[in-house]
Amino acid sequence: MFRKKIGLAAQVISASSKFQKGVAYIPRVNRSTLLIKQLPSSRYLGKPAPELVSDILDQIFELLTQPSDDDILYSLQAYPNLFNCMLVNKKWSQSAVKILYRHPWRLHRLYTLRTTDLAYDRCKLVRLYLTMLDRDQRRVLLEQGINLPAPEHTQMFKYATYLRCLDYGVMLESVWTIYSQSHYTDVPCETVKLVIRALLKLFSVQAGSLTWLRFAPMSFSSDEMYCEMLEDNEFNALLRPVEHLVLEANLGGCKKLFKIFAANFRNVRNLELTDLPRSRKWIGDSSIKYHTDFTTVIESQHHLQSLTLKECSGYLSAIIAAIQSQSHTICHLKFIDCDFLGCEPWIGLAKCRKLVSIEFIGCINISGSMVAPLIDAGLTRLKKVVVLYRIDQKSCKELLNLASLYPSI
């Protein structure tokens, strides 16, 4: 017994000798003696993991859309990704639906050639919105003999509240398809107008305002259907905030429509004009060059930053002169499949001191005299000049030399 006490005292003395000033002593522990119940417990042990906050989910799902630099439209892969996210749980579904139905009309254009995804076609989308009409709107339409889908009393989401981007041409074509047997039959225009008006009123009340709007005419539609919405002051709050405007200009009554566009949309940041009407005798006619109606859409803007022209010819002198009115704000210009035959030197472009990028894709008939003012301007903020020709197109040496000054792009 005495020897046992001496042994214990020796161990204590040897252990105490290891303590030094400023040095912590950690005794050895036999791991085999540790039990699982001795491990520190977590409050999430045996419970489901904590859920992500809705705001974080929204930001993650925004990354799935992968929009391009100059377009707010979603990529092709974004829609199936978001549809899959809707199937996880209720919170994920709420965040995914909010983004999907921000631009629902994009589905028709993405899935036109994919028969497996026709369940999300444009007509079903219109019918979904028609189920959300209030009692008074439904009564007015039913009194006119218009058949409406039955309202859903247990609807999970208010889809109309998420709308921020509207393709007016696709919506008009969808309504026309629903209430007509064929595009070539004479459908009562009043029926289409009443339904379109009801949908726009629904969007005005629930969505509030739009940020993206596209006008593209149908081969069987009339300009009267486009003017119906724009001339009504009831929808001003819905349209005035639009910042991204796309106009496909092969419209019959261009003069009236473009004047309405200029009066209604003044806060556009990104403007795209496609297929401007061609004049038969535009060469050498100054009245056509400088007094066109659609240039008022450019000149009426307060802070236009980006302009894209597609398949334009004959009016480029007038357009470039109109761009000069936006010289204090314009930063990005893009010309796609444009014909510059007979165009005057680009003095209007040379005066845009805030230009950051200019792109010429598939353009023809560009001469050195046109490019000369742009070369001599010495634009200090210009960082990107892209020139792409097709194989059968003749290139402009002066324009290629300008693009060679920016080899890093």
Side-chain angles (χ1 to χ4, degrees):
M1 187 68 179
F2 180 75
R3 290 181 179 179
K4 197 172 184 179
K5 290 183 179 180
I6 294 176
L8 291 173
Q11 290 179 7
V12 172
I13 294 171
S14 61
S16 62
S17 64
K18 295 180 182 180
F19 284 98
Q20 299 177 9
K21 187 176 182 180
V23 178
Y25 172 70
I26 302 176
R28 288 186 177 183
V29 179
N30 190 359
R31 296 184 179 181
S32 61
T33 60
L34 288 177
L35 300 177
I36 297 178
K37 64 180 182 179
Q38 293 175 324
L39 294 175
S41 60
S42 172
R43 57 177 177 170
Y44 298 117
L45 195 62
K47 299 179 181 179
E51 296 182 355
L52 290 173
V53 182
S54 298
D55 294 340
I56 298 177
L57 274 178
D58 293 345
Q59 294 180 19
I60 294 174
F61 292 162
E62 286 285 354
L63 297 177
L64 294 177
T65 62
Q66 298 176 356
S68 59
D69 295 335
D70 57 349
D71 197 353
I72 65 170
L73 304 182
Y74 302 158
S75 64
L76 179 63
Q77 194 60 33
Y79 285 92
N81 288 340
L82 290 172
F83 275 121
N84 292 333
C85 292
M86 289 174 58
L87 305 177
V88 176
N89 55 42
K90 186 176 180 180
K91 181 169 286 188
W92 281 48
S93 181
Q94 289 174 346
S95 296
V97 164
K98 188 188 307 182
I99 299 175
L100 270 173
Y101 284 87
R102 185 183 304 165
H103 194 338
W105 309 101
R106 180 71 165 167
L107 294 172
H108 161 57
R109 298 191 175 276
L110 289 177
Y111 295 129
T112 301
L113 302 177
R114 299 176 60 178
T115 56
T116 57
D117 295 312
L118 290 180
Y120 309 107
D121 65 345
R122 60 192 188 277
C123 293
K124 288 188 178 180
L125 182 62
V126 169
R127 292 189 180 98
L128 175 64
Y129 286 133
L130 289 177
T131 61
M132 303 177 188
L133 299 178
D134 59 30
R135 189 173 300 176
D136 294 336
Q137 288 178 313
R138 291 183 61 85
R139 179 178 53 79
V140 171
L141 295 179
L142 292 173
E143 288 176 354
Q144 298 294 325
I146 300 174
N147 294 324
L148 296 174
E152 298 182 11
H153 300 288
T154 59
Q155 206 163 56
M156 290 183 62
F157 305 105
K158 295 183 178 180
Y159 299 96
T161 60
Y162 308 134
L163 184 70
R164 293 296 177 270
C165 305
L166 174 62
D167 196 324
Y168 186 70
V170 173
M171 184 178 72
L172 181 57
E173 183 180 1
S174 305
V175 175
W176 192 291
T177 303
I178 293 172
Y179 292 99
S180 66
Q181 299 298 324
S182 172
H183 289 171
Y184 302 101
T185 58
D186 187 13
V187 182
C189 192
E190 276 306 312
T191 300
V192 178
K193 283 184 179 180
L194 288 172
V195 176
I196 290 291
R197 185 179 180 84
L199 289 173
L200 293 174
K201 190 171 183 180
L202 172 70
F203 299 150
S204 298
V205 173
Q206 296 196 17
S209 62
L210 300 174
T211 58
W212 186 93
L213 183 62
R214 179 177 178 270
F215 287 90
M218 302 176 298
S219 58
F220 49 87
S221 66
S222 64
D223 301 330
E224 187 178 351
M225 297 180 182
Y226 288 85
C227 297
E228 181 74 15
M229 176 179 70
L230 297 175
E231 291 181 326
D232 197 331
N233 295 329
E234 184 179 2
F235 307 124
N236 283 345
L238 179 70
L239 302 176
R240 291 295 171 90
V242 168
E243 297 182 348
H244 306 265
L245 181 62
V246 181
L247 303 177
E248 292 193 6
N250 50 342
L251 301 167
C254 284
K255 290 185 178 181
K256 182 179 181 181
L257 279 174
F258 278 98
K259 289 179 181 178
I260 296 175
F261 292 151
N264 282 273
F265 306 105
R266 296 180 178 273
N267 300 311
V268 177
R269 292 193 295 111
N270 302 320
L271 176 63
E272 181 179 320
L273 300 175
T274 302
D275 194 15
L276 291 181
R278 294 176 171 84
S279 173
R280 296 180 180 177
K281 50 179 183 178
W282 55 269
I283 299 179
D285 191 341
S286 60
S287 63
I288 296 177
K289 287 182 180 180
Y290 296 106
H291 298 283
T292 54
D293 296 292
F294 50 81
T295 55
T296 57
V297 180
I298 301 174
E299 296 169 344
S300 62
Q301 303 307 319
H302 297 312
H303 47 267
L304 185 64
Q305 297 179 7
S306 173
L307 175 64
T308 301
L309 299 173
K310 295 182 178 179
E311 302 176 5
C312 301
S313 64
Y315 294 98
L316 287 170
S317 289
I319 292 174
I320 291 175
I323 292 174
Q324 185 177 340
S325 65
Q326 303 295 320
S327 60
H328 59 292
T329 59
I330 195 78
C331 298
H332 307 282
L333 291 173
K334 183 182 289 187
F335 300 90
I336 302 175
D337 296 330
C338 293
D339 187 356
F340 284 85
L341 180 63
C343 183
E344 295 183 352
W346 300 341
I347 299 176
L349 301 186
K351 293 185 178 180
C352 298
R353 297 292 176 179
K354 291 189 175 182
L355 271 180
V356 176
S357 67
I358 309 177
E359 299 182 45
F360 300 89
I361 302 174
C363 298
I364 59 175
N365 294 321
I366 300 177
S367 64
S369 60
M370 300 177 193
V371 186
L374 195 59
I375 297 175
D376 299 336
L379 302 177
T380 57
R381 298 192 180 186
L382 190 60
K383 297 180 180 179
K384 179 180 179 181
V385 178
V386 176
V387 181
L388 298 176
Y389 288 100
R390 293 184 172 85
I391 298 176
D392 57 341
Q393 292 178 345
K394 184 179 179 181
S395 60
C396 175
K397 186 186 299 183
E398 290 79 4
L399 187 59
L400 291 175
N401 290 337
L402 178 63
S404 65
L405 300 176
Y406 305 90
S408 59
I409 303 300

